[in-house]
Amino acid sequence: MMEQKSNKGQQTRELLLEAALQQFAANGYHGTSMRQIAETANLAVGGIYNHFASKEEILKAVILQYHPLNVIAPELADAQGASFESLTRDAAQRFYAAIKARPILLNIFFIELVECKGAHLPELFESLLPRVSLFAQRLVTLDPRLRPLPPLVVMRIFLSMLMGFFITETLFAQIPGLPQQMGNLDDFVEVLMRGLLLPEQSGKE
Amino acid sequence: MMEQKSNKGQQTRELLLEAALQQFAANGYHGTSMRQIAETANLAVGGIYNHFASKEEILKAVILQYHPLNVIAPELADAQGASFESLTRDAAQRFYAAIKARPILLNIFFIELVECKGAHLPELFESLLPRVSLFAQRLVTLDPRLRPLPPLVVMRIFLSMLMGFFITETLFAQIPGLPQQMGNLDDFVEVLMRGLLLPEQSGKE
DNA sequence: CCTACCGATCGGTAGG
DNA sequence: CCTACCGATCGGTAGG
């Protein structure tokens, strides 16, 4: 009980962040009003300003907390696997599970690029890069058959493939009458892994 | 001279679309005002409504015309190559050139997903799917070593890889102090092609 | 195609 | 943390 000193304020702040996340993801930053955020959080407009100085500050907090790269980074750090294939598969699975659990996070990614012009990326990457580099290093040293690419390039291709999977999935979800089977994550991961490995030297030349 | 009958109106309309494209890409849909669009096009607010019924109609026209998938589709149709590798490389190069020429088109993609919730995708895909399917068919029938995936799945992986390349490039462009060499398109295309081909059967089993 | 205007809503605040 | 309000700006239109 005594431990919950400033808990109430923190709780309301978290509630506001969740409300803002929902609204921003649904309507974009400029498409969301402070009234909408307040309403979603069951607060009056004025109440918001006890927790955030401005609408922009809310967006900043939402992005630093909910940007998908920030959500995925710890998953990569936790990924397990003794071989290149098993580590890649586990990382991809964790990636998949994290986004599936909150698909709207992808919209935060887009909003940051368009409406913020990437203004928070430097701050975001400051904490991200070390963790991601570590994973890249782990991945790259696991297999001598890997193409001779810098670890961060391998990482970039890994991220591109998975981001592409989710973006195209979002795309296809909104289109009726598409052919049923449009591929699944395993197809992507197989292509990715095979592509990152050098072709076997089957002849002597 | 006589041929230019209704040309003036069409020219102003095009001018407005270009102005709207610039502003939407820079600030998002809700972040752009009719005044800004008018100003960029050197028009008064009221003048816009001689060409478009509403702000939403402008956005719709911008998306149907400038959505990157719509810009890339003809490039894929024009791509040449007698082998799987050469066709893939040519298509990727055309893709690359088209986006490089107008990187802001990517923002239209994002705006459509977030602020329009993909509302224009069905109409967009109606004209896109046949052309893209044709390319996918062409690609898939060129090489028996290809993984046994449906042509549209191959297409999806191709698109994912290239979209991922550009999105990560946009990402990295905004971050100072990144390692210099972060990979180029050729790396992506090599990984993509090798990944799409089945591994060589080097043993007898 | 422009000027001048409409009601509505915006982000934010004073005062309690 | 809410009520009631601020000036500014929004999308859109009437009238010419």
Side-chain angles (χ1 to χ4, degrees):
Chain A
M1 258 198 198
M2 288 188 67
E3 325 243 276
Q4 300 191 356
K5 271 229 189 76
S6 69
N7 249 6
K8 183 68 187 310
Q10 273 299 323
Q11 272 178 32
T12 307
R13 193 191 142 97
E14 280 303 320
L15 198 70
L16 273 168
L17 278 183
E18 273 291 335
L21 168 66
Q22 297 297 336
Q23 296 299 317
F24 287 156
N27 318 304
Y29 173 69
H30 289 104
T32 299
S33 71
M34 295 297 270
R35 269 89 180 161
Q36 281 175 275
I37 297 175
E39 216 166 293
T40 307
N42 285 316
L43 237 66
V45 225
I48 297 183
Y49 293 88
N50 294 317
H51 301 271
F52 298 95
S54 67
K55 192 183 172 190
E56 278 197 19
E57 285 299 314
I58 304 182
L59 179 59
K60 182 179 175 180
V62 166
I63 287 174
L64 291 182
Q65 180 157 349
Y66 293 113
H67 195 290
L69 292 179
N70 199 44
V71 174
I72 262 95
E75 298 294 330
L76 296 184
D78 288 349
Q80 308 271 332
S83 70
F84 169 73
E85 278 92 344
S86 61
L87 180 56
T88 302
R89 286 202 182 94
D90 190 47
Q93 275 305 327
R94 288 167 184 270
F95 196 131
Y96 181 84
I99 300 292
K100 272 292 175 195
R102 304 208 92 182
I104 62 168
L105 297 193
L106 273 184
N107 285 9
I108 300 302
F109 192 117
F110 301 147
I111 288 169
E112 213 281 326
L113 281 177
V114 176
E115 298 191 88
C116 305
K117 298 166 196 183
H120 309 91
L121 289 178
E123 184 169 352
L124 204 60
F125 266 62
E126 212 170 311
S127 82
L128 244 53
L129 198 55
R131 283 182 285 171
V132 172
S133 292
L134 202 75
F135 174 78
Q137 280 295 347
R138 259 207 300 157
L139 194 64
V140 154
T141 50
L142 266 179
D143 203 311
R145 298 170 301 161
L146 256 183
R147 278 176 199 280
L149 294 169
L152 281 182
V153 174
V154 172
M155 201 59 228
R156 179 181 176 186
I157 295 177
F158 175 89
L159 283 177
S160 294
M161 199 67 147
L162 288 187
M163 277 178 25
F165 174 79
F166 280 107
I167 295 176
T168 51
E169 192 159 79
T170 307
L171 225 60
F172 297 158
Q174 264 124 5
I175 299 163
L178 267 189
Q180 52 293 16
Q181 164 63 341
M182 286 303 291
N184 54 43
L185 184 67
D186 287 344
D187 296 328
F188 277 64
V189 174
E190 283 304 314
V191 169
L192 172 69
M193 291 191 307
R194 184 53 55 185
L196 283 174
L197 297 176
L198 286 171
E200 312 258 347
Q201 312 287 45
S202 56
K204 12 191 92 147
E205 193 59 7
Chain B
M1 259 198 198
M2 288 189 67
E3 325 244 275
Q4 300 191 359
K5 271 232 188 78
S6 69
N7 249 7
K8 184 68 188 310
Q10 271 300 321
Q11 272 180 31
T12 307
R13 194 192 141 98
E14 281 304 321
L15 197 70
L16 273 167
L17 279 182
E18 273 291 334
L21 168 65
Q22 297 296 335
Q23 295 300 317
F24 287 156
N27 318 303
Y29 173 68
H30 288 104
T32 299
S33 70
M34 293 298 270
R35 269 89 180 160
Q36 281 174 273
I37 298 174
E39 216 166 293
T40 308
N42 286 316
L43 237 66
V45 226
I48 297 182
Y49 293 89
N50 294 317
H51 301 272
F52 297 96
S54 67
K55 192 183 173 189
E56 279 198 18
E57 286 299 312
I58 303 181
L59 179 60
K60 182 179 175 182
V62 165
I63 287 174
L64 292 183
Q65 180 158 347
Y66 292 112
H67 195 290
L69 292 179
N70 199 44
V71 174
I72 261 97
E75 298 295 329
L76 295 185
D78 288 350
Q80 308 272 330
S83 69
F84 169 72
E85 278 93 343
S86 61
L87 180 58
T88 301
R89 287 202 183 95
D90 190 49
Q93 275 307 326
R94 288 167 183 270
F95 196 131
Y96 181 83
I99 300 293
K100 273 293 176 194
R102 305 208 90 182
I104 62 168
L105 296 194
L106 272 184
N107 284 10
I108 300 302
F109 192 117
F110 301 148
I111 289 168
E112 214 280 327
L113 281 178
V114 175
E115 298 191 88
C116 305
K117 297 166 197 186
H120 308 93
L121 289 178
E123 185 170 351
L124 204 59
F125 266 62
E126 212 170 311
S127 81
L128 245 53
L129 197 55
R131 282 182 285 171
V132 172
S133 293
L134 203 73
F135 175 79
Q137 279 295 346
R138 254 201 310 153
L139 194 64
V140 155
T141 50
L142 267 179
D143 203 311
R145 299 169 301 161
L146 257 182
R147 277 176 199 280
L149 294 168
L152 281 183
V153 174
V154 173
M155 198 61 228
R156 179 182 175 185
I157 295 177
F158 175 89
L159 283 178
S160 295
M161 200 67 146
L162 288 187
M163 277 178 25
F165 174 78
F166 280 106
I167 295 175
T168 51
E169 194 159 77
T170 307
L171 225 58
F172 297 158
Q174 264 123 5
I175 300 163
L178 265 190
Q180 53 293 18
Q181 165 62 341
M182 285 304 289
N184 54 42
L185 185 67
D186 287 344
D187 295 328
F188 277 64
V189 174
E190 282 303 314
V191 169
L192 171 69
M193 290 192 307
R194 184 54 55 186
L196 283 173
L197 297 176
L198 286 172
E200 313 258 347
Q201 313 286 43
S202 56
K204 13 191 90 147
E205 192 60 5

